[in-house]
Amino acid sequence: MNLKDRLIQNSIEALEVRAKELRNSGYEIDITSLTGIKQKVTSQKFYEVQPSLYMPVVVGDNPFSTEISTYRDFATGNDFESGDIEQGSGNGKLETVDTMIDNVKVKVKSWGKKINYNIIDLNTASKSGNWSLIESKEKSRIKNWQLGIQRIAFLGHKIDTGVLGLLTQTGVTANTTLIDKFLKDMTATEFTAVVGGILPAYNTNAQNTVMPDTFVIPTSDFLGLGVPYSEDYPMISKLDYLTNMLKQATGNPNFKVLPLAYGNKARNADVLGSGSGLNRYALYRSNDEESLRMDIPVDFTTTIFDTFNNFEYESVAYGQYTGCKAYRPREVLYFDHSE
């Protein structure tokens, strides 16, 4: 076989391979004269939750940094009474009040992914008449970013253990005695005791300095709190009783009780336990950047599609993110059980 014939044969084989790939990717489907094609494409669904509902998310600050350093200051000085001045005693020396400072550094992760297509892909996909190849690829990429940021916000990085999430903070106390099973499965007496113990536990942990404004509950437990609080009060649900108590006791009418699937042990076993995981509840301040926050120094950004040969086209999306960091760990309290 001469060179020309070999080139032709190689081209035929390459097209056959590409045709097989297109069939496997779903471009080609079997239809009959009775087959109707819907104009709307059914897309894959994922568990999605908005991190900014659960924590401060700061977007656009310190872009293209490798780390973010946050300073914390602390007041120092003796007791208030040490400042008393004894008149007539000849005491000309005054007590001094000062301040000390430290800083917390948070690692910034840079991220980037590309999508590409060629003329054959584009024209083959367009024959379906109801599906945009480029749009579908772009949706897939931005969904990859959104779901990734979402998991990072709550559970941290799968590889880099220095990038933490809301439920995986180091230095945060985990109470393993107060909530020893799902709230939805507790008797009225058990539930009342837990509700009455949540804020005192937090108050002790925070050294009487602040009140929380958010209580996060594993979704599998949260969804069962619509049952009556007790037989004596069938018109009040457990969720209403819990929420009203937290609002009244903290004096905050905007106190939030939120479900979070990442609190379920089935979703956090890889980071909160060897094989079994923990059902984790979190009581904290979600509206205070000085307490905890997540940074997105560079939000999801795309380049335009470009080509070097007018046949293959490529676009890159990039961004930067940190994990969630508790800058005042005592203002966060976990409640764990493995039931």
PDB file of all heavy atoms in Angstrom, residues 181-206:
ATOM      1  N   LYS A 181     -29.314  11.641  69.662  1.00  0.00           N
ATOM      2  CA  LYS A 181     -30.052  10.987  68.583  1.00  0.00           C
ATOM      3  C   LYS A 181     -30.808  12.060  67.821  1.00  0.00           C
ATOM      4  O   LYS A 181     -30.794  13.242  68.198  1.00  0.00           O
ATOM      5  CB  LYS A 181     -30.996   9.923  69.128  1.00  0.00           C
ATOM      6  CG  LYS A 181     -32.081  10.433  70.061  1.00  0.00           C
ATOM      7  CD  LYS A 181     -32.943   9.277  70.553  1.00  0.00           C
ATOM      8  CE  LYS A 181     -34.019   9.728  71.525  1.00  0.00           C
ATOM      9  NZ  LYS A 181     -34.846   8.587  71.997  1.00  0.00           N
ATOM     10  N   PHE A 182     -31.504  11.673  66.751  1.00  0.00           N
ATOM     11  CA  PHE A 182     -32.223  12.652  65.945  1.00  0.00           C
ATOM     12  C   PHE A 182     -33.312  13.344  66.774  1.00  0.00           C
ATOM     13  O   PHE A 182     -34.029  12.700  67.539  1.00  0.00           O
ATOM     14  CB  PHE A 182     -32.849  11.997  64.726  1.00  0.00           C
ATOM     15  CG  PHE A 182     -31.873  11.666  63.638  1.00  0.00           C
ATOM     16  CD1 PHE A 182     -31.763  10.382  63.150  1.00  0.00           C
ATOM     17  CD2 PHE A 182     -31.055  12.655  63.096  1.00  0.00           C
ATOM     18  CE1 PHE A 182     -30.859  10.083  62.142  1.00  0.00           C
ATOM     19  CE2 PHE A 182     -30.158  12.368  62.095  1.00  0.00           C
ATOM     20  CZ  PHE A 182     -30.051  11.080  61.611  1.00  0.00           C
ATOM     21  N   LEU A 183     -33.434  14.639  66.585  1.00  0.00           N
ATOM     22  CA  LEU A 183     -34.446  15.409  67.297  1.00  0.00           C
ATOM     23  C   LEU A 183     -35.854  14.909  66.975  1.00  0.00           C
ATOM     24  O   LEU A 183     -36.734  14.882  67.839  1.00  0.00           O
ATOM     25  CB  LEU A 183     -34.330  16.890  66.932  1.00  0.00           C
ATOM     26  CG  LEU A 183     -32.991  17.575  67.235  1.00  0.00           C
ATOM     27  CD1 LEU A 183     -33.011  19.009  66.690  1.00  0.00           C
ATOM     28  CD2 LEU A 183     -32.686  17.571  68.712  1.00  0.00           C
ATOM     29  N   LYS A 184     -36.066  14.524  65.742  1.00  0.00           N
ATOM     30  CA  LYS A 184     -37.396  14.066  65.310  1.00  0.00           C
ATOM     31  C   LYS A 184     -37.845  12.797  66.030  1.00  0.00           C
ATOM     32  O   LYS A 184     -39.049  12.519  66.125  1.00  0.00           O
ATOM     33  CB  LYS A 184     -37.411  13.841  63.799  1.00  0.00           C
ATOM     34  CG  LYS A 184     -36.495  12.737  63.295  1.00  0.00           C
ATOM     35  CD  LYS A 184     -36.512  12.642  61.776  1.00  0.00           C
ATOM     36  CE  LYS A 184     -35.553  11.579  61.253  1.00  0.00           C
ATOM     37  NZ  LYS A 184     -35.917  10.227  61.672  1.00  0.00           N
ATOM     38  N   ASP A 185     -36.887  12.024  66.552  1.00  0.00           N
ATOM     39  CA  ASP A 185     -37.209  10.760  67.213  1.00  0.00           C
ATOM     40  C   ASP A 185     -37.306  10.886  68.727  1.00  0.00           C
ATOM     41  O   ASP A 185     -37.574   9.896  69.416  1.00  0.00           O
ATOM     42  CB  ASP A 185     -36.135   9.707  66.873  1.00  0.00           C
ATOM     43  CG  ASP A 185     -36.101   9.376  65.396  1.00  0.00           C
ATOM     44  OD1 ASP A 185     -37.167   9.439  64.751  1.00  0.00           O
ATOM     45  OD2 ASP A 185     -35.008   9.059  64.874  1.00  0.00           O
ATOM     46  N   MET A 186     -37.101  12.089  69.261  1.00  0.00           N
ATOM     47  CA  MET A 186     -37.120  12.277  70.714  1.00  0.00           C
ATOM     48  C   MET A 186     -38.539  12.405  71.242  1.00  0.00           C
ATOM     49  O   MET A 186     -39.435  12.886  70.554  1.00  0.00           O
ATOM     50  CB  MET A 186     -36.328  13.537  71.083  1.00  0.00           C
ATOM     51  CG  MET A 186     -34.838  13.423  70.856  1.00  0.00           C
ATOM     52  SD  MET A 186     -33.978  14.940  71.375  1.00  0.00           S
ATOM     53  CE  MET A 186     -32.271  14.454  71.067  1.00  0.00           C
ATOM     54  N   THR A 187     -38.704  11.975  72.480  1.00  0.00           N
ATOM     55  CA  THR A 187     -39.966  12.229  73.163  1.00  0.00           C
ATOM     56  C   THR A 187     -40.052  13.718  73.501  1.00  0.00           C
ATOM     57  O   THR A 187     -39.057  14.451  73.398  1.00  0.00           O
ATOM     58  CB  THR A 187     -40.048  11.417  74.467  1.00  0.00           C
ATOM     59  OG1 THR A 187     -39.028  11.881  75.366  1.00  0.00           O
ATOM     60  CG2 THR A 187     -39.835   9.929  74.185  1.00  0.00           C
ATOM     61  N   ALA A 188     -41.225  14.159  73.902  1.00  0.00           N
ATOM     62  CA  ALA A 188     -41.401  15.571  74.255  1.00  0.00           C
ATOM     63  C   ALA A 188     -40.460  15.956  75.397  1.00  0.00           C
ATOM     64  O   ALA A 188     -39.872  17.052  75.392  1.00  0.00           O
ATOM     65  CB  ALA A 188     -42.849  15.843  74.641  1.00  0.00           C
ATOM     66  N   THR A 189     -40.296  15.057  76.352  1.00  0.00           N
ATOM     67  CA  THR A 189     -39.412  15.346  77.485  1.00  0.00           C
ATOM     68  C   THR A 189     -37.963  15.463  77.033  1.00  0.00           C
ATOM     69  O   THR A 189     -37.241  16.387  77.426  1.00  0.00           O
ATOM     70  CB  THR A 189     -39.533  14.241  78.550  1.00  0.00           C
ATOM     71  OG1 THR A 189     -40.888  14.179  79.008  1.00  0.00           O
ATOM     72  CG2 THR A 189     -38.622  14.522  79.733  1.00  0.00           C
ATOM     73  N   GLU A 190     -37.526  14.526  76.195  1.00  0.00           N
ATOM     74  CA  GLU A 190     -36.150  14.551  75.694  1.00  0.00           C
ATOM     75  C   GLU A 190     -35.914  15.802  74.840  1.00  0.00           C
ATOM     76  O   GLU A 190     -34.882  16.470  74.963  1.00  0.00           O
ATOM     77  CB  GLU A 190     -35.868  13.302  74.860  1.00  0.00           C
ATOM     78  CG  GLU A 190     -35.846  12.015  75.663  1.00  0.00           C
ATOM     79  CD  GLU A 190     -35.764  10.776  74.780  1.00  0.00           C
ATOM     80  OE1 GLU A 190     -36.260  10.834  73.620  1.00  0.00           O
ATOM     81  OE2 GLU A 190     -35.219   9.755  75.229  1.00  0.00           O
ATOM     82  N   PHE A 191     -36.874  16.108  73.985  1.00  0.00           N
ATOM     83  CA  PHE A 191     -36.740  17.253  73.095  1.00  0.00           C
ATOM     84  C   PHE A 191     -36.680  18.558  73.886  1.00  0.00           C
ATOM     85  O   PHE A 191     -35.851  19.436  73.601  1.00  0.00           O
ATOM     86  CB  PHE A 191     -37.911  17.277  72.114  1.00  0.00           C
ATOM     87  CG  PHE A 191     -37.816  18.333  71.053  1.00  0.00           C
ATOM     88  CD1 PHE A 191     -36.881  18.241  70.037  1.00  0.00           C
ATOM     89  CD2 PHE A 191     -38.657  19.438  71.072  1.00  0.00           C
ATOM     90  CE1 PHE A 191     -36.787  19.208  69.053  1.00  0.00           C
ATOM     91  CE2 PHE A 191     -38.578  20.415  70.096  1.00  0.00           C
ATOM     92  CZ  PHE A 191     -37.636  20.300  69.086  1.00  0.00           C
ATOM     93  N   THR A 192     -37.524  18.689  74.900  1.00  0.00           N
ATOM     94  CA  THR A 192     -37.529  19.890  75.724  1.00  0.00           C
ATOM     95  C   THR A 192     -36.181  20.087  76.408  1.00  0.00           C
ATOM     96  O   THR A 192     -35.665  21.212  76.491  1.00  0.00           O
ATOM     97  CB  THR A 192     -38.637  19.807  76.786  1.00  0.00           C
ATOM     98  OG1 THR A 192     -39.909  19.659  76.129  1.00  0.00           O
ATOM     99  CG2 THR A 192     -38.668  21.062  77.651  1.00  0.00           C
ATOM    100  N   ALA A 193     -35.605  18.994  76.895  1.00  0.00           N
ATOM    101  CA  ALA A 193     -34.308  19.078  77.568  1.00  0.00           C
ATOM    102  C   ALA A 193     -33.211  19.535  76.611  1.00  0.00           C
ATOM    103  O   ALA A 193     -32.355  20.352  76.974  1.00  0.00           O
ATOM    104  CB  ALA A 193     -33.950  17.718  78.173  1.00  0.00           C
ATOM    105  N   VAL A 194     -33.243  19.032  75.373  1.00  0.00           N
ATOM    106  CA  VAL A 194     -32.238  19.417  74.379  1.00  0.00           C
ATOM    107  C   VAL A 194     -32.400  20.887  74.003  1.00  0.00           C
ATOM    108  O   VAL A 194     -31.424  21.650  73.978  1.00  0.00           O
ATOM    109  CB  VAL A 194     -32.338  18.523  73.129  1.00  0.00           C
ATOM    110  CG1 VAL A 194     -31.513  19.108  71.977  1.00  0.00           C
ATOM    111  CG2 VAL A 194     -31.855  17.118  73.449  1.00  0.00           C
ATOM    112  N   VAL A 195     -33.632  21.296  73.724  1.00  0.00           N
ATOM    113  CA  VAL A 195     -33.883  22.686  73.331  1.00  0.00           C
ATOM    114  C   VAL A 195     -33.457  23.635  74.444  1.00  0.00           C
ATOM    115  O   VAL A 195     -32.892  24.707  74.193  1.00  0.00           O
ATOM    116  CB  VAL A 195     -35.368  22.891  72.971  1.00  0.00           C
ATOM    117  CG1 VAL A 195     -35.669  24.360  72.739  1.00  0.00           C
ATOM    118  CG2 VAL A 195     -35.727  22.080  71.730  1.00  0.00           C
ATOM    119  N   GLY A 196     -33.707  23.222  75.681  1.00  0.00           N
ATOM    120  CA  GLY A 196     -33.327  24.063  76.804  1.00  0.00           C
ATOM    121  C   GLY A 196     -31.830  24.070  77.079  1.00  0.00           C
ATOM    122  O   GLY A 196     -31.332  24.956  77.795  1.00  0.00           O
ATOM    123  N   GLY A 197     -31.089  23.126  76.502  1.00  0.00           N
ATOM    124  CA  GLY A 197     -29.659  23.033  76.767  1.00  0.00           C
ATOM    125  C   GLY A 197     -28.764  23.583  75.681  1.00  0.00           C
ATOM    126  O   GLY A 197     -27.556  23.761  75.890  1.00  0.00           O
ATOM    127  N   ILE A 198     -29.331  23.856  74.504  1.00  0.00           N
ATOM    128  CA  ILE A 198     -28.515  24.281  73.361  1.00  0.00           C
ATOM    129  C   ILE A 198     -27.827  25.611  73.624  1.00  0.00           C
ATOM    130  O   ILE A 198     -26.603  25.740  73.492  1.00  0.00           O
ATOM    131  CB  ILE A 198     -29.391  24.362  72.089  1.00  0.00           C
ATOM    132  CG1 ILE A 198     -29.799  22.970  71.628  1.00  0.00           C
ATOM    133  CG2 ILE A 198     -28.632  25.073  70.970  1.00  0.00           C
ATOM    134  CD1 ILE A 198     -30.778  22.985  70.467  1.00  0.00           C
ATOM    135  N   LEU A 199     -28.589  26.621  73.981  1.00  0.00           N
ATOM    136  CA  LEU A 199     -28.004  27.955  74.179  1.00  0.00           C
ATOM    137  C   LEU A 199     -27.090  28.041  75.405  1.00  0.00           C
ATOM    138  O   LEU A 199     -26.038  28.697  75.336  1.00  0.00           O
ATOM    139  CB  LEU A 199     -29.104  29.009  74.249  1.00  0.00           C
ATOM    140  CG  LEU A 199     -29.791  29.329  72.915  1.00  0.00           C
ATOM    141  CD1 LEU A 199     -30.865  30.388  73.104  1.00  0.00           C
ATOM    142  CD2 LEU A 199     -28.787  29.785  71.869  1.00  0.00           C
ATOM    143  N   PRO A 200     -27.436  27.427  76.533  1.00  0.00           N
ATOM    144  CA  PRO A 200     -26.477  27.432  77.645  1.00  0.00           C
ATOM    145  C   PRO A 200     -25.138  26.803  77.272  1.00  0.00           C
ATOM    146  O   PRO A 200     -24.087  27.296  77.694  1.00  0.00           O
ATOM    147  CB  PRO A 200     -27.199  26.615  78.727  1.00  0.00           C
ATOM    148  CG  PRO A 200     -28.643  26.845  78.456  1.00  0.00           C
ATOM    149  CD  PRO A 200     -28.745  26.878  76.955  1.00  0.00           C
ATOM    150  N   ALA A 201     -25.172  25.737  76.474  1.00  0.00           N
ATOM    151  CA  ALA A 201     -23.923  25.110  76.033  1.00  0.00           C
ATOM    152  C   ALA A 201     -23.122  26.078  75.175  1.00  0.00           C
ATOM    153  O   ALA A 201     -21.895  26.183  75.307  1.00  0.00           O
ATOM    154  CB  ALA A 201     -24.223  23.821  75.265  1.00  0.00           C
ATOM    155  N   TYR A 202     -23.811  26.785  74.286  1.00  0.00           N
ATOM    156  CA  TYR A 202     -23.122  27.760  73.433  1.00  0.00           C
ATOM    157  C   TYR A 202     -22.586  28.919  74.261  1.00  0.00           C
ATOM    158  O   TYR A 202     -21.456  29.379  74.057  1.00  0.00           O
ATOM    159  CB  TYR A 202     -24.083  28.278  72.363  1.00  0.00           C
ATOM    160  CG  TYR A 202     -23.435  29.254  71.391  1.00  0.00           C
ATOM    161  CD1 TYR A 202     -22.871  28.798  70.214  1.00  0.00           C
ATOM    162  CD2 TYR A 202     -23.380  30.620  71.668  1.00  0.00           C
ATOM    163  CE1 TYR A 202     -22.270  29.687  69.319  1.00  0.00           C
ATOM    164  CE2 TYR A 202     -22.784  31.508  70.795  1.00  0.00           C
ATOM    165  CZ  TYR A 202     -22.227  31.031  69.616  1.00  0.00           C
ATOM    166  OH  TYR A 202     -21.618  31.912  68.748  1.00  0.00           O
ATOM    167  N   ASN A 203     -23.397  29.407  75.181  1.00  0.00           N
ATOM    168  CA  ASN A 203     -23.005  30.545  75.995  1.00  0.00           C
ATOM    169  C   ASN A 203     -21.735  30.244  76.794  1.00  0.00           C
ATOM    170  O   ASN A 203     -20.839  31.084  76.906  1.00  0.00           O
ATOM    171  CB  ASN A 203     -24.146  30.916  76.940  1.00  0.00           C
ATOM    172  CG  ASN A 203     -23.955  32.266  77.588  1.00  0.00           C
ATOM    173  OD1 ASN A 203     -23.601  33.225  76.922  1.00  0.00           O
ATOM    174  ND2 ASN A 203     -24.208  32.343  78.884  1.00  0.00           N
ATOM    175  N   THR A 204     -21.661  29.038  77.323  1.00  0.00           N
ATOM    176  CA  THR A 204     -20.459  28.631  78.050  1.00  0.00           C
ATOM    177  C   THR A 204     -19.264  28.543  77.120  1.00  0.00           C
ATOM    178  O   THR A 204     -18.163  29.004  77.438  1.00  0.00           O
ATOM    179  CB  THR A 204     -20.684  27.271  78.737  1.00  0.00           C
ATOM    180  OG1 THR A 204     -21.761  27.380  79.675  1.00  0.00           O
ATOM    181  CG2 THR A 204     -19.428  26.808  79.454  1.00  0.00           C
ATOM    182  N   ASN A 205     -19.485  27.976  75.937  1.00  0.00           N
ATOM    183  CA  ASN A 205     -18.395  27.811  74.970  1.00  0.00           C
ATOM    184  C   ASN A 205     -17.870  29.156  74.489  1.00  0.00           C
ATOM    185  O   ASN A 205     -16.658  29.338  74.292  1.00  0.00           O
ATOM    186  CB  ASN A 205     -18.889  26.996  73.774  1.00  0.00           C
ATOM    187  CG  ASN A 205     -17.774  26.548  72.853  1.00  0.00           C
ATOM    188  OD1 ASN A 205     -16.951  25.711  73.208  1.00  0.00           O
ATOM    189  ND2 ASN A 205     -17.728  27.098  71.658  1.00  0.00           N
ATOM    190  N   ALA A 206     -18.773  30.130  74.310  1.00  0.00           N
ATOM    191  CA  ALA A 206     -18.384  31.463  73.834  1.00  0.00           C
ATOM    192  C   ALA A 206     -17.983  32.394  74.964  1.00  0.00           C
ATOM    193  O   ALA A 206     -17.763  33.585  74.725  1.00  0.00           O
ATOM    194  CB  ALA A 206     -19.520  32.081  73.034  1.00  0.00           C
TER     195      ALA A 206
END
